[in-house]
């Protein structure tokens, strides 16, 4: 069993004042420290379980998985973020970046005329969509700061070093 001594947890007034939920409660320092200690101990236990828990399992298959799901509101974001980043890293792909030709003047014309691009062919989004809709969606599973395609502005002689892509 895990034991947490409430006296070992110090809570600053700024932390309490920064939380509307805590600010409006009538807890003593010891009561608040005990609650935080319980949540910390719970998170320590959950972190040790997460590597062996398959959260993609459907409900009703595993009592442990179902229990972790029910208690997810008590799992600290730092622990969730670690799992999230690990899953994203495992799903990343690498490959070539296709060129996407974008006609800025056609897009501007649609806007200036106040027209609606019903077929999604002339707005910037429409042009991008038409050229990427047949591509494998896995091309968007990228690591941070990577680009899925290279933007080429027609007639603008742009070199996509990131500006046209954004």
């Amino acid at each position: 069993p895990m034991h947490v001594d409430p006296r070992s947890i110090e809570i600053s007034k700024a932390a309490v004042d920064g939380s509307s939920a805590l600010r409006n409660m009538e807890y003593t320092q010891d009561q608040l420290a005990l609650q935080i200690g319980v949540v910390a101990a719970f998170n320590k236990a959950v972190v040790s379980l997460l590597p062996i828990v398959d959260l993609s399992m459907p409900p009703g298959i595993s009592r442990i998985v179902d229990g972790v799901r029910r208690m997810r509101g008590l799992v600290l974001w730092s622990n969730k973020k670690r799992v999230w980043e690990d899953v994203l890293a495992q799903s990343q792909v690498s490959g070539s970046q296709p060129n996407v030709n974008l006609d800025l003047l056609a897009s501007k014309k649609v806007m200036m005329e106040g027209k609606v691009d019903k077929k999604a062919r002339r707005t910037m989004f429409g042009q991008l969509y038409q050229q990427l809709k047949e591509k494998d969606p896995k091309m968007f599973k990228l690591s941070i700061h990577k680009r899925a395609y290279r933007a080429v502005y027609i007639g603008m002689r742009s070199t996509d070093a990131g500006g046209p892509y954004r």
Side-chain angles (χ1 to χ4, degrees), residues 98-112:
N99 283 345
V100 175
N101 299 309
L102 301 169
D103 189 343
L104 186 60
L105 297 177
S107 177
K108 182 88 169 167
K109 186 176 177 185
V110 170
M111 185 184 78
M112 296 301 286

Side-chain angles (χ1 to χ4, degrees), residues 83-93 141:
V83 172
W84 176 255
E85 288 174 345
D86 289 347
V87 169
L88 286 178
Q90 292 171 17
S91 69
Q92 291 173 5
V93 297
K141 291 184 173 185

Side-chain angles (χ1 to χ4, degrees), residues 106-136:
S107 177
K108 182 88 169 167
K109 186 176 177 185
V110 170
M111 185 184 78
M112 296 301 286
E113 293 174 355
K115 293 187 176 179
V116 176
D117 186 16
K118 295 177 185 173
K119 295 184 179 180
R121 295 194 191 320
R122 299 185 326 172
T123 61
M124 295 296 274
F125 175 79
Q127 293 174 55
L128 185 67
Y129 169 74
Q130 292 297 334
Q131 294 175 59
L132 296 178
K133 69 181 180 183
E134 301 297 326
K135 301 283 185 195
D136 184 353

Side-chain angles (χ1 to χ4, degrees), residues 39-52:
V39 170
F42 169 77
N43 272 269
K44 190 174 180 181
V46 167
V47 166
S48 66
L49 273 178
L50 285 178
I52 60 171

Side-chain angles (χ1 to χ4, degrees), residues 18-66:
S19 167
S20 60
L22 293 178
R23 191 174 48 243
N24 296 329
M25 294 181 180
E26 300 287 330
Y27 290 121
T28 67
Q29 175 81 11
D30 285 347
Q31 289 170 327
L32 197 53
L34 181 59
Q35 289 180 355
I36 291 170
V38 169
V39 170
F42 169 77
N43 272 269
K44 190 174 180 181
V46 167
V47 166
S48 66
L49 273 178
L50 285 178
I52 60 171
V53 172
D54 182 1
L55 293 170
S56 67
M57 293 174 80
I61 303 282
S62 166
R63 294 173 82 188
I64 293 174
V65 173
D66 291 347

